[in-house]
Amino acid sequence: MNAWSWEQRRQEILRLCHAGYDLPTLFSETARLLRKAIPFDAACLHTLDPATLLETSHVVENLPVDIPQASEIEYLHEDFN
């Protein structure tokens, strides 16, 4: 993907952030745009408290939330991301 496409994607995401969507819709639309640039099968998108950087909510897409190892994998193991 060229630099123009990355900037276009960034601008589209910024537009979504200011569109007044509820959180699930914002995350769904953002995931749709990101998938065009970086293909993925599942996602878990989080909101953070800016003062503490603690997670305040999340939305999952195509990810079973009842996987016991999901939190362990996400928070206790390093990955390439």
Side-chain angles (χ1 to χ4, degrees), residues 3-19:
W4 182 85
S5 295
W6 283 107
E7 181 58 25
Q8 181 184 23
R9 211 59 80 224
R10 182 180 166 282
Q11 290 298 321
E12 290 172 358
I13 291 171
L14 285 173
R15 179 188 57 77
L16 287 174
C17 291
H18 294 280

Side-chain angles (χ1 to χ4, degrees), residues 5-59:
S5 295
W6 283 107
E7 181 58 25
Q8 181 184 23
R9 211 59 80 224
R10 182 180 166 282
Q11 290 298 321
E12 290 172 358
I13 291 171
L14 285 173
R15 179 188 57 77
L16 287 174
C17 291
H18 294 280
Y21 292 122
D22 62 3
L23 192 58
T25 303
L26 172 63
F27 279 177
S28 175
E29 289 298 306
T30 301
R32 181 183 60 77
L33 290 174
L34 288 174
R35 189 177 282 110
K36 293 178 181 180
I38 307 166
F40 57 88
D41 296 322
C44 185
L45 302 147
H46 306 266
T47 59
L48 300 177
D49 172 46
T52 64
L53 298 181
L54 292 174
E55 182 181 331
T56 56
S57 66
H58 68 279
V59 173

Side-chain angles (χ1 to χ4, degrees), residues 57-78:
S57 66
H58 68 279
V59 173
V60 298
E61 182 174 307
N62 297 329
L63 182 69
V65 293
D66 60 349
I67 297 176
Q69 300 87 357
S71 294
E72 177 185 340
I73 291 167
E74 181 63 28
Y75 296 110
L76 300 179
H77 300 284
E78 285 195 42

